[in-house]
Amino acid sequence: MRLPTALLIAATATLPGCGALSALQGEPDRDLFELRAPAALSCPRSRVGELVIEPPKARGTLDSNRIMIRPSVLQTQYLPDAEWGDTVPAMLQRLLVESLGATGSFDHVGRAPLGLSGDVAMISEIRDFNVNLSPDGTLIRLSVEAQLVEEMEARVIARRSFAATVAAASTRTSDLIPAFDAATRQLIGQMTAWTLTTAGVDPDTCRRS
């Protein structure tokens, strides 16, 4: 899909071409970007031993490594010369495993249980992970619906919606990616604190590692 001319020029002006392999395959050159989890927390032990982070669900336009632009509520486009290093769901799952595993509150945090099932699983759905263009400016908008499920009983023990919005200075990729990073660290921080609280750990008792 084509971006508006102004956005296309702004995005491509900041992206050096470096994709020899993609060029050989007939793909456009795209720089790869990864996002970070928030600073690691060291926390007390929880009452949950094993925590499984299921792959987040996402609609087809988000289940991709392309960086989504929303010029309007009915239109989806992508940055032409930049992409994530993994699909959005896989990236979010990795960041949650990293953030929650670093707390030391759980015996195991992973993408799959060590045995037949874990104690608690996080099931989530990504609603927004995109750039929103509006007369008010350029906003990074992320939102996720999440549930914590007791696996043996197949019982939902907590559910919550999470959202983070960060303004980007412009539509240039050099401004969009840091804004995505800031919003993602906010979102993962919110989800980590909620999971700890549900597992019986007061996030205020944690300290920066």
Side-chain angles (χ1 to χ4, degrees):
M1 302 180 193
R2 289 191 170 274
L3 289 166
T5 301
L7 178 58
L8 180 62
I9 292 172
T12 57
T14 62
L15 293 168
C18 58
L21 179 60
S22 63
L24 287 174
Q25 295 173 336
E27 293 287 332
D29 292 344
R30 297 192 186 107
D31 285 346
L32 298 181
F33 293 93
E34 291 188 348
L35 300 174
R36 300 171 295 169
L41 295 175
S42 179
C43 304
R45 298 290 295 176
S46 79
R47 59 173 176 252
V48 173
E50 186 175 6
L51 176 66
V52 176
I53 309 299
E54 299 281 355
K57 293 181 171 58
R59 63 185 182 276
T61 51
L62 275 175
D63 192 5
S64 165
N65 63 344
R66 300 299 303 277
I67 300 175
M68 183 188 288
I69 310 288
R70 298 300 299 270
S72 71
V73 294
L74 300 177
Q75 190 175 10
T76 297
Q77 300 177 341
Y78 300 98
L79 277 181
D81 295 333
E83 63 186 33
W84 303 124
D86 210 335
T87 65
V88 171
M91 185 165 55
L92 184 64
Q93 183 187 35
R94 173 182 62 80
L95 293 172
L96 286 166
V97 169
E98 178 183 338
S99 181
L100 286 159
T103 65
S105 293
F106 307 92
D107 295 332
H108 173 70
V109 179
R111 296 172 176 83
L114 294 174
L116 294 178
S117 67
D119 296 318
V120 171
M122 180 187 292
I123 300 171
S124 60
E125 182 172 357
I126 303 169
R127 298 298 181 88
D128 299 286
F129 206 96
N130 49 263
V131 183
N132 272 40
L133 304 181
S134 74
D136 297 328
T138 302
L139 298 177
I140 306 303
R141 181 163 294 166
L142 316 182
S143 66
V144 173
E145 303 280 341
Q147 300 179 70
L148 292 174
V149 178
E150 192 177 71
E151 295 219 280
M152 291 297 292
E153 301 292 332
R155 179 177 66 91
V156 176
I157 55 178
R159 58 166 54 92
R160 185 173 160 186
S161 300
F162 302 90
T165 302
V166 171
S170 75
T171 56
R172 291 179 179 273
T173 301
S174 57
D175 289 324
L176 295 177
I177 299 303
F180 261 113
D181 189 56
T184 300
R185 298 179 85 184
Q186 285 184 26
L187 184 78
I188 298 297
Q190 292 172 23
M191 297 180 75
T192 296
W194 169 71
T195 304
L196 288 169
T197 300
T198 304
V201 176
D202 181 354
D204 291 337
T205 62
C206 300
R207 57 182 176 81
R208 299 290 177 190
S209 299

